[in-house]
Structure formats: C-alpha cells, structure tokens
Amino acid sequence: MIEVENLHFIYPSNVEALKGISLNIRDGEFVAIMGQNGAGKTTLVKHFNGLLKPSRGFVKINSIETTKTSVAELAKNIGFVFQNPDHQLFSETVEEEIAFALKNFGFKEEVVKKRIDWAMNLLGLSQYRDTSPFLLSGGERKRVALASVLAWNPNTLILDEPTIGQDHRQKENLRQFIIQMQTQKKTIVMVTHDVEFVAECNPRVLLMRDGEIIADGKGTDILTNQELLTKSSIVLPQIAQIFQELSCFGLPQNIIDIYDAKNILIQILEKKK
Amino acid sequence: MSVFDGLKFRKVSSPIHNLDPRIKFFYVIVIFFSAILFNQIIVLLTLFLMTIPFVLLAHVQKEWLRSLRGAAFLAFFIFIVNIASSYFTSGYSLTANQIESAIAMTLRFIVLAGSFSVFFLTTSPDHLGLALEQSHVPYEFAFAFTTAVRFVPVLAEEAQTIMDAQKARGLEMEKGSFLKKIRNYIPVLIPLIVSSIRRSLELAEAMESSIDH
Amino acid sequence: MSIIETKDLTYTYPGGKFPSIKNISMEIRKGEFVLITGPSGCGKTTLCRCFNGLIPNFYQGEIKGEIIVTGLNPLKKQTHEMAKNVGLVFQNPENQLFALSVEKDVAFGLENIGMRREEIRQRVDWALKQVEIYDLRERSPHEISGGQQQRVAIASVLAMQPKLIVLDEPTSFLDPLSAEKIFSIIYEMNKKLGITVVLVEHRLDLTAKYASRIIIMDQGKICLDGKPRKILNTQETRLLGVGIPKATLLYQELLEDKIALSNEIPLCSEELANFLKEQLKAK
Ligand SMILES: Nc1ncnc2c1ncn2[C@@H]1O[C@H](COP(=O)(O)OP(=O)(O)OP(=O)(O)O)[C@@H](O)[C@H]1O
Ligand SMILES: Nc1ncnc2c1ncn2[C@@H]1O[C@H](COP(=O)(O)OP(=O)(O)OP(=O)(O)O)[C@@H](O)[C@H]1O
Ligand SMILES: [Mg+2]
Ligand SMILES: [Mg+2]
C-alpha cells in the first residue's frame, strides 16, 4: 500500500516539482502515470522508494513513512527501473549485470542462477548472457535494465518509461508479464508516454500536469476524454479517435480496445444490412 | 539532497551572484595558483578562510558545506596516502616535516574544492560565457570553457541519478570496510563515464556537422 | 537521382561474432520519406551509422560491400565531410545542444563555414520559423522543454540545408503531443523543401501515414520494402512483431469478418473513420 498525503517537493534549484499530491495505491493495483514532459512524474515515483523525501506532506509505504526508513530497506520490496538504462549498466556481462542486485540482497547462489535464467528468458536476452551490456542496441539495453530489477521479484514494481525503444512483440511480452504479476497481487506503477500501450493494458490512469494530479480514473474514461488529454499534452489513442469522429452516429464514447471496437462495429454494420 | 548540490548554480540574488563573472573567475584563478605555489599551512589556511565571507554573503553556506563534506572523504584519502608514502619511503619513520606536508597537501585540496564550489554555486554559465566573449577572450577558448562549465552541473545531476538507480538495486555506498567502500563507487563511476562518453560523442557529432575543417 | 545506394553492404562490429547488417542492397531516391522499422536489435541504428560515415570512421570492425551517400563514399570521406550533406538527429535532445542561446546553436554551423552575418541571420530565422520556435530564439537551450529542444536540434540541422536527414527514434523521450508535432515538422520538411528523410521508428501508429516507403529489417537483413499500404497488409509484417497502427489492424480484423470498408487499407484513424462514415451514411 502506497499512501501519499499533500506531498510537496521542491528541488534545491527552487523548482517546485510537486504541488500537493494526495493519492493511495492499493496492493495489487496497476497504475499508469501520464502527463507532459516536466509534469513531475519521475519526481513523484522517486518518492515511492525513498530516493526523494517530501519537502512537505508524507509518503507511507505499508504504513511506514519513507523518512523513517532507508532506501536500502525499501528497495528489496520496491523495484525501480529508471528511464535511461545507461544510468545503471556497469557490468562486464549481461549475466553479471542481472546478478548485481540479487547479490546485494543476499540471495543464495542457486537462487541467483535460477532468477537470472528466468529474467533473461522473459526479456529475450538469453543469447546475450556473456555479452557486454554496452555493446547492445538501445532497446536491448533497456531490457537488460528491466531484467536486472524484475529478477529479484519485488512486491511492487515502478517502471519509468518501460516501452521506450521496444518493438511490438517486446511490449506484448511486457504486458503479459504485468498481467501475470497482477494475478500474484503485486503492485505496478508505470510512468509512460505510450498511449497505445496504456490503451492495450487499460490500467488505472493518473494524469499529471505542472506538479499536480488533474485526473485519476479508469483508462477507458480518461483516455477517451479529449479535453483532459490535451491539457496534459497527450493525444487520444487511435481507437478512441475513430469513435470520436463517429460520435454523430451514436456510437459509445468509452472504447479504447480494438476487439471491443470490432464487436460494436460488426453489430452496427450488420444491423444496417 | 546530496554532495553534488554543492556544484549546482541556482538563481538567487545576492551581491556575490550579481558580481561580474570575470571578477569571480579571476578570483578563483588567483586562489588556484596561490594554492599551487605555496605549501605553508598558514598561507593555505588563510586562503581557505578568505573564501568564507563570500560564502556567507552569497547565502550558500548550506550547499557549500555539503560540497566540502563530500570532498572530506577524498581529502582524508589524500592525507592517508601522503602519510603512508612518506612513512614507507623514509624507512618506516615520520618526521614533523612530513606530517606538515601531508596536512598542507590535504589543505590545498580543500582550498581548491571550496573556492570552485563557491564559483559554480554563484555563477550561471550563460553569464560567464557572455562576459568572456565581451572581454575579447578568443572565441574558441570561451566556447570550450563555457561548454565545460555548462556540463559540470549536468554531470553532477547525472551522477545523482546514477547513484539513485544503483541504490534502488540495493547498493549501500557507505557499507563495508574502507576497501569495500571504494569498490562501492564502481557501479556509479562506470555508468557516469560511459554515458559521458556517449553524450560527448553525440555532441561532437552534432557539432561536427557544422564545422568546416 | 539516388541519395543513398548500397550494394551487399555487410558490417561486423569489432569483436562481434556475426554481422549486424548483412548484404544490404538498396536505393533511396531524392525526396523519399523512408521509414525503417523492425524488431529491437535488428540493425537499424547500425545502418544509419553507415549513412554518415560513423561506421567505419569511428567504429572499426569489418565492412564489406559498397555504399554511396549523396554522391560521396562514406568509406573514403571523413565524417565531417559527410556531415555537410547528411543531417543527424538523435534520440536524446539534451545531448545535442551546446550553445548559450537557441539562435547561437542554430547559427553555430553557419558561422563555421564562414557565411556572411546577414545571410546567417536570414538562415537562422528561416530555420527557426520552419520548426515554429522563432519566439524562443533568445532562450538558453537548457531552459526549454524536451520537445522544444528536439526542435532546436532539427533547426540546427535544417539551417545547413542538407540533402538528407537521418532521425533515429527522435521522439522517444517526448510526450505524445510534442512527438506528433515533431513528426509533422519532419513531414513538412520533406514535402515543402524536398529534403530526403530516413526515419527509424517503432511506433508506426504515429508515423506510417507520413512515409512514402517502409523498410522492415530483421536480423540484419532487409526483409520487406515498399509502399506503406502494401507492407502493412502482408502477413509477414504481422509475424515479425512490428506494431501495425491500430486503425489498420481494426480494418483487417473487420475484413476477416467479411466487412470490406474500401479497396485501400487505412494508415491512420482519420482514414478509417472516413471509410466508416461512408458506410454508416450509405445505409
Ligand atoms: N535533479 C533536478 N534538479 C532540479 N530540478 C529538477 C531535477 N529533476 C527534475 N527537475 C525539474 O522538476 C520538474 C519535474 O521533473 P520530472 O523529471 O519529475 O518530470 P517528468 O514528468 O518525469 O518529465 P519527463 O516526461 O520529461 O520525464 C521539471 O521542471 C524539471 O525540470
Ligand atoms: N557498439 C557495438 N558493438 C558491438 N555490437 C553492437 C554495437 N552496437 C550494436 N551492436 C549489436 O548489433 C546489433 C544491431 O544493433 P542496432 O543498434 O543496430 O539495433 P537496432 O535495430 O537499432 O535496435 P533498437 O531498436 O533496439 O535500437 C545488435 O545485436 C547489437 O547487439
Ligand atoms: Mg521522467
Ligand atoms: Mg537503435
């Protein structure tokens, strides 16, 4: 459980990046945080594992305030994948990179090996086991960064832009993985600009703008609200765009899933015949 | 909040912030050369104390102290290395002179760290660049210098992000023996170097397309 | 006139066990808007590095085959000689800017080729207006948003009036509205100024509608190459895991249920919406 109450955060450069955020994320929830560049998304999620401490207000993780504990303490339960993989890769091989956190958390040798195999397989990296992570393509480096955190199977996962540089198949793998995590009651918080990916996942969506949360609700409600999205510099997903253009024909306006769209269109078009 | 904040410029108004950047630059250069030239403890101490009024006037004491605290670790390291090397090279004994010179070396480092920190804390790279150009410093020099200065805070911010990323993977920087502590810096230093190289490559590429050789 | 021509181009990175691009033979003609896509790690960035001579000038390794870009041979020319004809825009906008103000960044290249002051002024203003950031010309490039920074990077390239612009995932760090703006600016450049564009991108939903041609790579090879409507309609494209635009996908799904909306497949939501409107009105 993540509880945030009236959270303000001011960077030392006097930028007020968060202006009174309150929200709760329950265990097992899947939340996407969206909003324009500089809205404060990364700043907000860095509070969830104690990397940043509130200037005002508080953040509680499982009822404990982040100011009363350390990042090292929180990290084991809360995995955090950063936006830019180049900010964390340092090992000689992909295998060692993934092993780093597992060793820090004191997992046993056999477990470490198993978890590495599992994570590399999940992210399609098995062929690169002994390759240096610096010699991989952009998308591959991002996946190594993801693997190195998923490997220790934390209860809560925070993903900052996980789909950058990924092709559709990799995104689909990630989505399946997230679904699997949810069946295990794990919490996932994803910061992203990828509207189509959010439309496919249909999680709870938080919209941020200038350090504030301007909307919080179901994906189908928020991703179909043109006015809200434009305020946060986001465009409608394609399916929602199509249905909006067809609004004069009395079509429902909360459709973002392609198969829902297909079924509705088939019904209408067949009826007309 | 971190030691790197001691290098980041922030926009506030104080007599020191508003001072012509050339004067501050000149001041830092003078301190720099004096600290290199003299190795008497008393001179170095004076140079150090001279910086303090500026720090207070600029209201940056909090950030300045933090950057000194960051430098303390390295200063301690310099001190130990100096003592150890004179101890071993002079046949397992130490003279008062040798201890004094180890203190001087350490102090010299602290003076340099302190004065550079005030400079970066109170001078915007933009003002500095303009000032250098107006004072007819050769363009290439002004350009190289301001580009370097501009990237100091960028580098500092990047180092902070990298430290965050590794802490989130369970790295505890302050844990372990002295040697372990030094080794703890590897997961921070390597990404910092690699992403700086990546950045300079792209920057060079962007500039390359515009330079006629 | 061909802008890029390669024949059996094969390249292996130093220490690489197998080539990252294999036997690439292709021709890109003046004025084309080519979208290169394909699974992560298939060699898109590597191919782009060949276009401007970064390979083999910076990356050693083994290169075979022939390549001519804007009439020059990058295997023989230095990167900066190539750079006059080929503009490059990278993923991360922050890393490409260095000057004290936006207009100085854009002017930097022109000053270096010794252009006259008034002419520089005109070119800079023109380039800034093309990407619609003329109002920001006096700001520091480090004080503006990511989307605006990427526009400065494009303006700097544009000011040099290159024959070819290569963009490698230029919007991955940008919010959707800024990304859309960047793509439409690139499209305008191609349409109005006739600059040849090579764009590497995974998200076809944002870009397919602009391309005049799509090249799909897999495991270092070109496996599909042709007009967008044709490429997106093949079974192979789907199997390669390329992200087909949702509008195109919905059209194909309806077709499977024997609902044919038109003869042409749509590339974006407006097109599909128009097809649907006609159907709904007709009855
Ligand atoms: N280390 C820092 N020091 C000072 N200011 C910062 C720092 N990091 C971010 N900011 C500022 O705080 C605000 C919020 O930044 P943040 O990185 O949280 O945005 P974001 O929503 O994650 O944006 P993006 O989509 O570009 O990643 C911005 O105005 C930014 O310039
Ligand atoms: N500097 C390098 N040294 C050695 N091998 C490399 C280097 N850069 C990339 N590779 C390898 O070459 C292959 C092609 O990489 P490239 O970066 O061209 O892929 P890409 O298609 O751009 O992928 P992405 O969509 O993930 O950016 C990959 O298998 C990668 O591991
Ligand atoms: Mg962010
Ligand atoms: Mg690439």
Side-chain angles (χ1 to χ4, degrees), chain A residues 11 13 15 17 36-43 83 193, chain B residues 8 157:
Chain A
Y11 277 105
S13 52
V15 176
Q36 74 213 108
N37 291 124
K41 305 180 292 295
T42 300
T43 308
Q83 195 161 346
H193 291 306
Chain B
K8 268 185 244 162
E157 200 168 311

Side-chain angles (χ1 to χ4, degrees), chain B residues 128-155:
Chain B
L128 182 66
L130 286 179
L132 284 178
E133 258 176 57
Q134 280 156 11
S135 54
H136 303 289
V137 170
Y139 179 73
E140 289 79 10
F141 176 77
F143 178 74
F145 188 78
T146 46
T147 307
V149 169
R150 175 185 300 287
F151 280 107
V152 168
V154 175
L155 211 67

Side-chain angles (χ1 to χ4, degrees), chain A residues 247-265:
Chain A
S247 58
C248 53
F249 296 99
L251 266 59
Q253 288 301 300
N254 60 345
I255 306 297
I256 52 175
D257 180 78
I258 183 161
Y259 296 101
D260 293 347
K262 179 183 174 183
N263 291 335
I264 291 169
L265 288 173

Side-chain angles (χ1 to χ4, degrees), chain B residues 6-7 63-64 67-68 112-122:
Chain B
L7 290 174
E63 293 81 6
W64 187 71
S67 70
L68 282 191
L112 294 181
S115 59
F116 275 105
S117 169
V118 194
F119 180 72
F120 285 123
L121 279 170
T122 60

